[in-house]
Structures are given as C-alpha cells and as structure tokens.
Amino acid sequence: MIGIAVSAPLEREDAVVREAARHGHRVAIRAATADDLLERLAARPADAEPAIDLVLVVADEAHASRALVEGCDARGLRLLALADDPGERSRAQALGIDAVAWADGFAAIEASVRPSPAGPGTPAARGRVVVVWGPHGAPGRTTASIALAAELALLGQRVALVDADTTSAAVAPALGLLDESPGFAAAARLARAGSLTVDELDRIAQPVATSGGTVRVLTGIGRASRWPELGRERVAEVLERCRDWVDVTVVDVAASLERDEEISSDLFAPRRHAATLAALEAADELVVVAGGDAVGIARLVRALPKLRELAPQARPRVIVNRVRAGAIGVAPERAVEETLRRLAQVTPEACWPFDGRAADAAMLEGRPLADVAGRSRLRRRVQELALRLVPQEAATSRAALRAAERPRRRLLPALR
C-alpha cells in the first residue's frame, strides 16, 4: 500500500482518492493549496500511519511551489506532479518535479513510486496476450473484451485492446470510434515492412478514456473483404511487439477455427482465418465465451477439442454468458456446470448472468460496463475474472475495490 498526500482542485482530488482506493492505496493528507500541504506535512507525526510515500500535486500555481519542493526534499519525500497541458508540464519542469499525465492512468503514478523488481541488467518483464474467443452465434465476445480491458486498466495495468476479428469487427462501433483507418491493419502493414515500433503503436492506436485510465485500441477492419491484410506472420509480429508496448493486450478474435485446405496450387496464398489462428498461438491466457443456452453450449462442446489443439499453451477459461432460467431451466448455473463436466470434462470459470440492461447501457454510451453499470451483476463477474488474470502482486484487493465503489459525500473545503 502507498500512503499519499495530495493537493489538487477538488474534482481532481476526489478522483485521486477514488482511484487510490481502487488500487489498494490510501490518501492520508488532502490539502487545498501547496502552503496548506506543506503545513500538514510539517505537523504530521513521524510515526503516523500510513507513512507518506508520495506527495502528489497538480502542477499549477496554487498546488505546486518552490517551497513545497524544498520541504519534500528536506523530508526525503517523493514529489510527483500531475501535468495534463503544456502550461502544467512547463511549470513542473521549471520546478524540477517529475510529471505524469492523469490520462495515463493510476498505474503511471504507482510506477513512479515502486521501483522495477528487475535488477541491473535484467530484462524488463514483457506484457501478456489475453485472447477472447467464442463460438459462432454472438455469445458476447466483443462486450467481454471491452469490459475486461477496462477492468484490467482499473487494476493498474497498461492495457491495449486489439480487434483481430476478420469476419465482423465490432470494437470500434461498440466504443463509438471512427474506423476508416483500422489501427490493427495499419500495424500489420508496418510489421510487414519491418517498421513496427512501440512509438508507431502509440501513434496509430486510438486512446479510450475509462474510469481506470486510458485503454489503447487498435480498431479492426471495417470490411470483411480486407482479411488478406491480416496474414499470420503479420498478426504474430504485431502481438509480439505489443508485449513491449503494454502490460496486457486483450485480443478480440473471430469464431472460425478452420485451417484452409493447403493444396499445392495455393500453398502460399493468404489464409482466411489466419488472424484468429495466429492470435490463439500467441495467447498466454485464453478466455472462451459461450452462449448460455442449449445451442451455445453445444457449439462450445464441439469446438473445445480443436481449440485445445490450436492453443495448447493456454488453459481455456470457459465463461458461459447470458445464463438464465428461461433458456436453461431451474438452477441454470448448476445445470451448465454439470453439462460441461459431463460432455466436455471442463468446469466453467464462471457463469455470467443475463444482464441486458447493463449491456445495453454500455452499447448505448459507447463505454465499458465499469463506467456505466458499475454495480451490475455482470460487471462484477467481469471484475472477478480480471482479478484472476493479473499477477497477484499487481491485483487490487477485493475489499479495496468494494470500498472504492461505495458512494462518497463531497467534502466541504472547510472540512478538509
């Protein structure tokens, strides 16, 4: 846990408190101005809990001053500025304060305090690839991909969302993004030319602001006829480069798992489903989303053997979506679990409820579930999955997440 002292405009201050709680940290001091913050730091007993590990200020005249810099230096406190516009960045630079942008998410603030666990000469840990796949029939792959990416960002991860569906790409319209220039296709072209770098990925990705920070989105192809642009080697190279770009890359793929017939006359021709197959081969984690009805379960059971063959390195985390008594019968979750154990020798990771109201709200607003339906049952199930996907040391405790979700009354300035 990080102990934080903060001085910022009230709205930003409240946001810092909320995000700190979400990530398992605590704001110990809230101050209206830089002078007020300096006085509170001076009056705070040395053995007070929690210890102050970070002093966080907005880099403007009211909240960042030379006296505050000198006071933090004298006490050995780490001082960090939030700078989101050129004026704030210039002031932080003039005061000699390290700065991060609030748009980069709380992970950037944490990284400024916590040293990298890698020792000298040790390569930095590379990012992971999480592929979200589901059988035909619109079981909810795209909704799950977007919601999962947002939850991982809430847990302090740097996240990219990639739409590699060559049949019916849907991430861009679901988030209200323009997709005339598909980011994933652009990345594939750069990979073919040997020019794909982390800086290029930043340039072509579309940033999407969520409650947990920015999710970088590589939009999919708008027309299915463009599938030859996403060849196997190109897709593999893009996902490999993404490991150096972000902590987690969530990939939404198409349903088809067929390998094209490889006859001598078309041995080197593009493969229709190469993007899906390449993503599955690259997956560190495989999230399988199936529909919660008889047809969806049957399609899942038939596809699982092929899926294990294509991605032997990743254990499928089976999610049965839209589970409801109207389609399954009495005790639907138990019925789904028993059916999958009997027919496929697999225990589902979770059964997600049929929550049309929350899913519709997310689609209508073009935002993730966490932003528009934070207390919905469906959002909570996605949140539980995200907690299981991040490393233990990076995961926020469930208690902190629940505390962050409780409504807070806005404090009056006189009470701060």
Side-chain angles (χ1 to χ4, degrees), residues 40-60:
R40 290 170 182 259
L41 288 172
R44 185 176 175 82
D47 58 351
E49 292 292 337
I52 300 298
D53 302 299
L54 174 67
V55 177
L56 187 63
V57 298
V58 168
D60 58 20

Side-chain angles (χ1 to χ4, degrees), residues 50-277:
I52 300 298
D53 302 299
L54 174 67
V55 177
L56 187 63
V57 298
V58 168
D60 58 20
E61 292 184 3
H63 303 95
S65 66
R66 178 66 62 186
L68 180 61
V69 173
E70 294 172 353
C72 289
D73 287 345
R75 293 171 176 79
L77 297 174
R78 176 81 167 101
L79 178 60
L80 182 69
L82 293 174
D84 289 294
D85 61 49
E88 291 175 349
R89 288 192 289 272
S90 296
R91 182 169 181 79
Q93 186 175 11
L95 292 173
I97 310 174
D98 290 337
V100 298
W102 180 252
D104 290 336
F106 205 85
I109 297 172
E110 288 180 308
S112 72
V113 181
R114 293 176 172 172
S116 171
T122 304
R126 305 190 71 209
R128 295 177 302 136
V129 174
V130 177
V131 174
V132 180
W133 177 88
H136 291 282
R141 292 185 301 270
T142 299
T143 299
S145 299
I146 294 171
L148 183 58
E151 294 296 342
L152 290 168
L154 274 168
L155 292 174
Q157 303 288 287
R158 291 175 298 137
V159 182
L161 176 58
V162 173
D163 192 341
D165 190 333
T166 53
T167 303
S168 55
V171 168
L175 288 174
L177 302 176
L178 297 175
D179 58 355
E180 285 84 356
S181 300
F184 192 46
R189 288 193 296 273
L190 290 168
R192 183 186 184 189
S195 308
L196 185 62
T197 64
V198 168
D199 289 340
E200 287 294 332
L201 285 170
D202 270 327
R203 181 181 64 81
I204 61 181
Q206 296 197 43
V208 173
T210 73
S211 57
T214 300
V215 173
R216 299 158 177 84
V217 180
L218 293 178
T219 54
I221 54 177
R223 299 189 304 274
S225 59
R226 296 183 61 176
W227 65 263
E229 298 178 34
L230 302 180
R232 190 188 197 102
E233 291 77 14
R234 301 185 199 180
V235 171
E237 175 62 23
V238 173
L239 296 182
E240 187 66 18
R241 187 59 58 203
C242 284
R243 296 181 185 275
D244 300 321
W245 181 35
V246 293
D247 298 320
V248 185
T249 303
V250 179
V251 188
D252 181 15
V253 297
S256 297
L257 300 176
E258 297 83 2
R259 296 180 184 272
D260 294 336
E261 194 68 32
E262 293 188 357
I263 58 177
S264 58
S265 63
D266 108 25
L267 184 60
F268 301 107
R271 306 298 176 198
R272 181 66 178 84
H273 309 300
T276 295
L277 301 180

Side-chain angles (χ1 to χ4, degrees), residues 293-314:
D293 52 46
V295 175
I297 297 297
R299 286 171 172 163
L300 172 65
V301 170
R302 288 196 293 265
L304 278 175
K306 183 67 173 178
L307 197 62
R308 292 192 181 102
E309 174 190 332
L310 294 172
Q313 78 287 353

